[in-house]
Amino acid sequence: MILKFVIVCSLAIMPLSASAQTSVRLLFSNVEKIQQMTSDVRAKVNLTQQKVSQGTKNMELIYYRRDSDDSFLIVFSAPESDKGNGYLRVGDNFWMYRRNTRTFQHINRDENIGGTNAHAEDFEKRKLTELYAPALDGAGNEILFEELLGKIPVYKFEVKAIVNDVDYPKKNYWVRRDNNLPLKEQSYSMSGTLMETAYYPQYTVVDGRYIAVKMLFVDEFEKGNKTLVEISNISTEKLQDYLFTKPYLENLSK
Amino acid sequence: MLGIAIGLGVTILIMASSFSRGIEDIMFNKVVSYVAGHVSVNMNEGFGKRVPVFRDRERLFDIIEKNCDKDAIIDEGVGIFTRAIGNGRADNMILVGVDTTRKITDEQQQEYDESFNVIDGKFEDLGRSGSANAVILSRDRADSLNVKKSDIISIRFRNVFGQNQSERLTVVGVLKNDNIFMQGVMFCELENVKAMMGYRPYESANIHITVKDPKRNAVRVADTIHAALTPGPAFISGKVSYNSGSSLSEGIESEVSRLRVSDSEVTVIPFRGDDDSIRLITSSFELVKGKMEDVILRDGVMVSSKLAEILGVAPGCEVMISYDTRFENQRVSFKVEIKGVFNADSVRGDKTIYMHEALFYPKFYDRIPDLDKDISNAFIPAESAPFKSALGMEWELLDRTRNSDEMRKKYAAQSRKKIRATTIDVNSMYESASDVLKLESVLNIITLSAVLILFFIILIGVVNTLRMTIKERTREIGTLRAIGMQRRDVWAIFMIETTLLALLASIAGTFFALILMWLLTLIEFNVTDNPLGILLVSNHLYFLPSLWNIAFNVALILVITVITAYFPAKRAANLSSAEALRHYE
C-alpha cells in the first residue's frame, strides 16, 4: 500500500532530466513564442484591483501597440478620476498625459502605470530567453517536473534571471504539456520569498496565436491583494502612425 | 509715546529676526542636511530608469574627501520606499540607512539625541549583531503596524536595479517623533540597507555632504568636487579569443577557455549612440568587411583589421573577451558577435574593438576593470583623433546649475540625449532642496517687510513728534539762542534727546523681546499631523537670537531715528531767536 502510494506520487511528480524529450530551454522558448506579439494590437483591458486597505477599484483602458517599433499607447476610460489620462511610448521616449492639466510629462521606465503595480518597462518588448535561463539543481540538472494542475497535465519548471533589469529574479512556471500554454506563474524575490502568483485561466486564439484574455495576479506578500485583468475586443489590424502621437492621445482623452 | 512705539518696534523686529534665524537653522542644519545634504553627488547608471549606484566606492570617496572641507561630513544617502507588514497590519514606510559606525563629536551626538528621541531601546542598538536587520521606527508607525520592540516587520520593496525584494526587520527601538516628516521613517544600519538594496560592499549610493556655514560654503564645495570628478576614457583591456570549433561559456574563466585556437591582447572602446556620435563614427571608420548599418546598432561591434587577421574572424563570428576585474579578483568574460572590420592604423589602433555603448556599459559596470592598472597596456585614441568626442567615458558628468529651474532644464535635456553611461550630478542645496529654501526666503521677506513697516512708523512718529516738540519749545529755543547758544548746539540738543530716547526705548524693547520669546517657547503645540510642525523643535517654537543680531537691530533703529530726526532738528536750529521769542501758541 505504501509502496503503491510512493509509486503513484513519484509518477505524479516526476523530475525529468535535461536529456529527456523536453527541456526547460525548449519549454521556455515556447512560452516566449506564445507570449510574443508579432503584429499590431488593439485591445480593451479591464482591471479589477482589490486591495485590503483600499477596497476594489475597477479600471478600464484602451491599449494600442505597434509591432514595428514596439510603440504603444494607453488611455484610461474608467474610472472617472483617471478617465482621459494616458501613456505614450515611441522609441526610447515615454510620456505620461494628464487630462486635467493637459500636459505631457517625460517619465522613466520604472514609473508605475495608473497607480497599479505595472511599470512602464513591463510594456517593453523583451525576450524572456534573454532575461531568464533555466535554474539548475545541485547536480547541474534543469529543475523540471511533470505535475497535475487541477486535472490538467502540466510541466513545472524553474528559471532564474540572468540580467538585473527584471522584476523578479526567480520564477516558477506551470505550462500545459499539450501546447505549452502557461497556466500559472510564481514570482520570487531575491531572498526567495514568494511575492506573486499569476494565473492564466483563459486563452483565445487570434490570427493563429494564443492570447491570455483572463489573468489573475495574486499578491502573496500582502494577503488579500489581487488584480484581475480581462482583455477583450482584440484586433490585430495594422495601426496607423498617427495613433502614436501626442495630439492623438490628447484628442482621445477628451 | 514715541519711546513706547520705538520700544515695541524693536521688540517685534528682534522677535521676527530671531524666529527667522531659528527657522533658517532648522532648514539648513536639520531638514536640508538630513534630506539631501548641503552638497549632494547623485549617480544614475540606469538608462531611462533610476539606478543610483557608483561601482567604485573607494575611488569616489577618495575624490570627494580630497576636495571637501576637512570638517565636512560625508554620508551615503540610502532610502527605500517599502510596504511594511507588522502584526496583522500594513503601512507604507521609508527605510533609511544610518551609519552607526561613524565617529561623531559630542555636539553631533547631542544634536542626534535632540532630533531622534528614542523612548524605547537605544539608537546604538541599530548596530548590534544578533538582530536581523535591526530597525528603529516612530511610535506612530509602531502603533499603525501593531509592533513593539523585538517584533518582526516584513517589508517589500524594489532594490536598486528595480527587482522586487522582501526582507524581515527586527524592531529594536521606538522613537518619539517630533515632526510629521519623521513619522513614516524607519532607521536601519547603513550596510544592512545597502545589502538589501543590492549594493556590493565596494559600490556606493548617492553621497550627501554636510558642511559648516552652508550658505557660504555649499556652492564652493559643490563646484570644487564637480571639477575633480572629470571622467577618463572608458575601456576594457584584456584578451580576445576566437574558437571556431567549440562553444565557450561566459562568466568566470574555466578550463574550456584554455582550448582557444587564437587569441590576442585587445582594448575594447565604447562609442556613443547619439546621432552626432554615430555620424562621426560612420565618417571616421572605413569598413573593409561588414556593413556600417549593422555596426551602429545597439549590439554593434567592429574589430580592427589587424586583430581580425590574428584571430581569423569576419562579420558574423563570435569572439570571447576576457579581462581582470578591479574587485573580487576575478577574470570575467563575455561573448560578442563581430558586425564589421575596420582598417587598422595608429589613430584607431591595431588591436582594438569598438563597441556600441549599449552593449559595452552593462558589462563594464557590472564588473569594473582595473583601469589604473590596465591603462599602461591599453590603446587610448589620442585627443586629436577625429572621432574622439564620439567615444564613451567612464561616466558622464552633468553641468553644474545654480537653482532648481536650471536643474530641471538640465534633466530634460539629459533625457533627450539618451545617455547610457552612468551620469554624475553634483548639486548644492540651492538646487536639490530649493523648495525647502524657498520657505526660508519667504521668512526673510516677512522679516524685511517688518523692518520696512517699522521704518515708516518710526519715520512718521519721529518727524511728527519732533515737529510738535519744536513748536512747543519755540520760545525756549529763542531764549537759548538769545543767550548765545549756537545753531549747532541747538541741533545737537534735539538730536541727542531723540537718540537717547531711541536708545533707551530699544534697550527696553530688547529685554521685553527676550522675555516674550522665553514665554512663547513654553507653549507646547501638538502638530504631529501638520507639515508646519517641521518649524518646531520638540513641539515648541524655536527662536535663535544672537548678540550680533540684536545689536544690529538696535543700531538699525537708532540710524533710522537719527536720519528722521535730522531735518526737524535742523529746522529748530535755524529758527531766528527774535522770531522764536515772539512766538505764542
Side-chain angles (χ1 to χ4, degrees):
Chain A
M1 187 71 176
I2 294 173
L3 183 60
K4 187 176 176 183
F5 176 75
V6 167
I7 291 170
V8 166
C9 283
S10 61
L11 281 173
I13 309 171
M14 188 172 68
L16 300 180
S17 67
S19 58
Q21 202 165 1
T22 191
S23 70
V24 173
R25 266 186 216 284
L26 181 63
L27 289 170
F28 202 50
S29 177
N30 287 341
V31 169
E32 179 186 271
K33 281 183 195 145
I34 286 164
Q35 293 188 346
Q36 211 166 9
M37 295 306 301
T38 55
S39 63
D40 294 355
V41 173
R42 181 199 184 281
K44 182 176 149 191
V45 181
N46 278 80
L47 290 158
T48 305
Q49 189 176 64
Q50 188 180 314
K51 285 193 172 177
V52 171
S53 53
Q54 297 169 21
T56 304
K57 184 179 177 185
N58 291 310
M59 288 173 274
E60 195 179 283
L61 56 96
I62 311 291
Y63 172 66
Y64 295 88
R65 185 190 155 275
R66 182 168 62 189
D67 180 53
S68 59
D69 59 357
D70 203 29
S71 299
F72 68 80
L73 172 73
I74 294 171
V75 177
F76 282 85
S77 50
E80 197 58 38
S81 56
D82 291 326
K83 191 175 177 181
N85 294 338
Y87 297 84
L88 171 65
R89 178 168 178 247
V90 179
D92 290 328
N93 293 306
F94 209 131
W95 294 280
M96 175 177 69
Y97 177 72
R98 282 286 166 265
R99 187 188 63 159
N100 54 358
T101 58
R102 296 174 69 181
T103 53
F104 284 90
Q105 185 185 330
H106 233 281
I107 60 173
N108 282 333
R109 292 165 60 222
D110 53 358
E111 300 276 349
N112 65 8
I113 301 290
T116 67
N117 292 332
H119 297 88
E121 60 191 341
D122 296 337
F123 291 85
E124 292 176 358
K125 186 178 175 180
R126 303 172 79 192
K127 285 189 163 185
L128 284 178
T129 50
E130 288 176 356
L131 306 176
Y132 291 92
L136 304 176
D137 60 18
N141 299 318
E142 292 179 343
I143 301 172
L144 173 62
F145 297 94
E146 285 182 357
E147 277 185 11
L148 288 174
L149 192 65
K151 292 180 182 174
I152 303 173
V154 295
Y155 291 117
K156 177 190 170 186
F157 59 88
E158 186 179 312
V159 294
K160 62 174 175 44
I162 52 176
V163 295
N164 280 330
D165 198 16
V166 291
D167 271 355
Y168 296 101
K170 180 183 136 184
K171 285 180 182 255
N172 284 341
Y173 281 86
W174 285 256
V175 304
R176 292 181 67 117
R177 280 190 232 164
D178 51 0
N179 55 19
N180 293 165
L181 281 177
L183 297 181
K184 180 178 166 184
E185 181 184 324
Q186 282 187 332
S187 304
Y188 293 79
S189 70
M190 287 196 67
S191 55
T193 306
L194 176 61
M195 303 296 283
E196 183 181 86
T197 302
Y199 298 92
Y200 306 96
Q202 193 177 341
Y203 283 84
T204 191
V205 177
V206 176
D207 290 350
R209 302 193 71 81
Y210 286 101
I211 296 178
V213 292
K214 199 177 253 188
M215 293 171 274
L216 179 64
F217 297 92
V218 178
D219 188 342
E220 299 287 357
F221 182 78
E222 194 171 351
K223 301 292 182 189
N225 292 350
K226 56 181 82 136
T227 303
L228 177 66
V229 179
E230 292 166 295
I231 300 176
S232 58
N233 296 357
I234 301 170
S235 163
T236 55
E237 283 178 10
K238 188 141 177 64
L239 296 171
Q240 301 301 315
D241 291 347
Y242 70 83
L243 290 173
F244 301 95
T245 59
K246 287 180 183 178
Y248 184 77
L249 173 55
E250 215 171 344
N251 261 332
L252 203 62
S253 66
K254 283 181 184 163
Chain B
M1 286 302 294
L2 178 62
I4 293 172
I6 291 173
L8 276 174
V10 168
T11 303
I12 293 168
L13 196 58
I14 289 174
M15 286 182 69
S17 61
S18 298
F19 188 62
S20 173
R21 287 192 72 244
I23 291 182
E24 189 180 300
D25 182 56
I26 293 171
M27 291 297 175
F28 286 120
N29 297 321
K30 291 188 173 60
V31 175
V32 171
S33 69
Y34 289 157
V35 169
H38 300 134
V39 177
S40 60
V41 181
N42 301 310
M43 285 75 70
N44 186 14
E45 190 182 288
F47 175 68
K49 62 195 278 189
R50 285 174 293 264
V51 183
V53 61
F54 190 81
R55 301 290 188 157
D56 192 343
R57 183 181 186 280
E58 187 186 333
R59 184 175 170 198
L60 181 65
F61 267 72
D62 189 51
I63 293 172
I64 292 174
E65 281 165 3
K66 280 182 181 156
N67 291 280
C68 217
D69 296 343
K70 289 227 176 332
D71 52 3
I73 301 170
I74 304 169
D75 277 321
E76 281 180 80
V78 184
I80 323 172
F81 285 99
T82 75
R83 181 70 181 167
I85 298 180
N87 292 327
R89 295 197 208 147
D91 207 340
N92 296 320
M93 300 285 291
I94 300 174
L95 184 65
V96 172
V98 176
D99 187 0
T100 60
T101 62
R102 182 162 55 85
K103 286 189 177 52
I104 56 175
T105 62
D106 291 339
E107 186 192 336
Q108 286 166 343
Q109 182 65 55
Q110 189 186 355
E111 195 183 301
Y112 288 151
D113 290 341
E114 283 171 3
S115 299
F116 303 106
N117 189 355
V118 181
I119 52 175
D120 190 8
K122 289 181 289 186
F123 210 81
E124 294 76 41
D125 289 342
L126 280 182
R128 78 174 185 205
S129 58
S131 296
N133 297 324
V135 292
I136 289 178
L137 71 168
S138 72
R139 183 173 52 190
D140 286 332
R141 280 299 194 271
D143 289 343
S144 76
L145 293 175
N146 193 25
V147 295
K148 294 188 291 292
K149 195 170 152 205
S150 304
D151 281 342
I152 300 291
I153 298 174
S154 297
I155 57 168
R156 173 179 61 193
F157 56 95
R158 285 165 78 92
N159 72 4
V160 70
F161 301 106
Q163 292 186 2
N164 282 281
Q165 173 63 308
S166 65
E167 280 292 346
R168 289 161 65 84
L169 314 174
T170 307
V171 179
V172 298
V174 176
L175 286 172
K176 175 177 178 277
N177 59 277
D178 293 323
N179 63 69
I180 191 174
F181 293 97
M182 302 292 267
Q183 273 180 17
V185 178
M186 289 189 289
F187 297 97
C188 185
E189 173 57 46
L190 177 66
E191 289 307 313
N192 291 346
V193 179
K194 283 183 69 181
M196 287 184 224
M197 284 293 281
Y199 290 98
R200 294 177 193 141
Y202 48 83
E203 293 171 347
S204 173
N206 290 334
I207 305 292
H208 294 167
I209 303 166
T210 306
V211 300
K212 289 265 188 285
D213 197 358
K215 282 182 94 168
R216 200 197 307 181
N217 295 321
V219 173
R220 176 185 58 78
V221 169
D223 288 343
T224 309
I225 291 173
H226 181 267
L229 280 171
T230 305
F235 64 91
I236 291 174
S237 174
K239 277 202 170 2
V240 59
S241 53
Y242 174 63
N243 186 333
S244 58
S246 65
S247 61
L248 300 170
S249 55
E250 286 189 4
I252 313 300
E253 187 171 282
S254 64
E255 281 298 319
V256 175
S257 64
R258 296 192 185 174
L259 302 175
R260 296 189 187 110
V261 172
S262 54
D263 61 27
S264 170
E265 309 239 315
V266 69
T267 305
V268 183
I269 301 167
F271 59 85
R272 297 179 208 261
D274 59 280
D275 294 340
D276 291 338
S277 299
I278 293 296
R279 267 194 289 274
L280 206 47
I281 292 292
T282 306
S283 61
S284 304
F285 285 80
E286 186 193 336
L287 290 187
V288 294
K289 284 181 189 172
K291 297 179 200 168
M292 190 52 84
E293 302 94 82
D294 295 330
V295 170
I296 60 174
L297 293 177
R298 287 176 193 178
D299 58 351
V301 177
M302 56 179 172
V303 65
S304 70
S305 50
K306 174 90 175 176
L307 205 49
E309 191 185 343
I310 294 171
L311 298 173
V313 297
C317 293
E318 259 190 354
V319 296
M320 181 79 86
I321 295 168
S322 56
Y323 63 96
D324 293 323
T325 61
R326 174 162 158 72
F327 301 103
E328 296 174 349
N329 287 321
Q330 288 177 351
R331 188 159 181 86
V332 296
S333 52
F334 60 95
K335 287 189 286 188
V336 294
E337 183 184 328
I338 305 294
K339 298 293 173 75
V341 179
F342 64 89
N343 254 332
D345 57 27
S346 57
V347 175
R348 290 152 188 79
D350 284 343
K351 295 181 182 177
T352 48
I353 288 177
Y354 290 82
M355 190 182 290
H356 193 286
E357 59 172 357
L359 186 59
F360 176 87
Y361 281 121
K363 309 288 185 198
F364 178 75
Y365 289 132
D366 189 43
R367 293 279 190 260
I368 287 274
D370 197 340
L371 298 180
D372 290 337
K373 190 181 80 148
D374 294 342
I375 195 151
S376 53
N377 297 327
F379 174 84
I380 306 296
E383 287 300 320
S384 55
F387 51 89
K388 184 69 175 177
S389 62
L391 301 182
M393 306 297 275
E394 293 174 279
W395 58 78
E396 187 86 14
L397 183 64
L398 303 184
D399 294 334
R400 283 278 296 122
T401 47
R402 299 297 151 188
N403 54 58
S404 55
D405 288 333
E406 279 185 29
M407 189 172 77
R408 275 190 278 272
K409 285 178 189 161
K410 176 176 71 178
Y411 288 153
Q414 177 206 337
S415 67
R416 282 192 290 274
K417 275 165 76 175
K418 311 278 185 288
I419 299 169
R420 297 264 182 185
T422 294
T423 57
I424 295 185
D425 193 16
V426 183
N427 294 318
S428 72
M429 59 189 185
Y430 292 102
E431 301 115 75
S432 55
S434 62
D435 291 334
V436 171
L437 297 177
K438 274 175 191 165
L439 183 58
E440 190 256 344
S441 301
V442 165
L443 291 165
N444 283 339
I445 291 170
I446 291 172
T447 307
L448 181 64
S449 304
V451 170
L452 285 173
I453 291 169
L454 275 170
F455 174 77
F456 282 109
I457 290 172
I458 293 169
L459 178 75
I460 295 165
V462 166
V463 165
N464 276 339
T465 304
L466 276 179
R467 279 183 65 234
M468 282 172 56
T469 305
I470 291 163
K471 202 171 176 186
E472 285 168 5
R473 294 162 72 180
T474 304
R475 287 173 63 83
E476 182 190 331
I477 294 167
T479 306
L480 289 172
R481 291 279 284 124
I483 61 174
M485 188 171 270
Q486 300 300 309
R487 286 195 174 90
R488 190 176 57 247
D489 298 322
V490 171
W491 175 84
I493 287 173
F494 283 98
M495 290 301 295
I496 290 168
E497 274 182 14
T498 310
T499 306
L500 273 177
L501 176 68
L503 181 63
L504 291 170
S506 298
I507 291 170
T510 301
F511 278 113
F512 188 57
L514 292 173
I515 292 166
L516 205 55
M517 282 191 286
W518 175 72
L519 286 171
L520 284 172
T521 54
L522 295 177
I523 303 172
E524 185 168 350
F525 295 89
N526 186 11
V527 287
T528 46
D529 289 334
N530 193 324
L532 289 177
I534 193 111
L535 303 178
L536 304 176
V537 173
S538 303
N539 291 337
H540 295 268
L541 288 171
Y542 180 55
F543 294 94
L544 194 62
S546 78
L547 194 59
W548 163 249
N549 198 248
I550 291 170
F552 175 79
N553 288 322
V554 168
L556 182 68
I557 295 293
L558 286 175
V559 165
I560 293 171
T561 308
V562 164
I563 291 170
T564 51
Y566 179 84
F567 291 103
K570 198 165 168 56
R571 194 163 49 250
N574 287 338
L575 280 174
S576 142
S577 53
E579 282 179 25
L581 283 169
R582 282 200 296 272
H583 175 78
Y584 282 101
E585 289 282 328

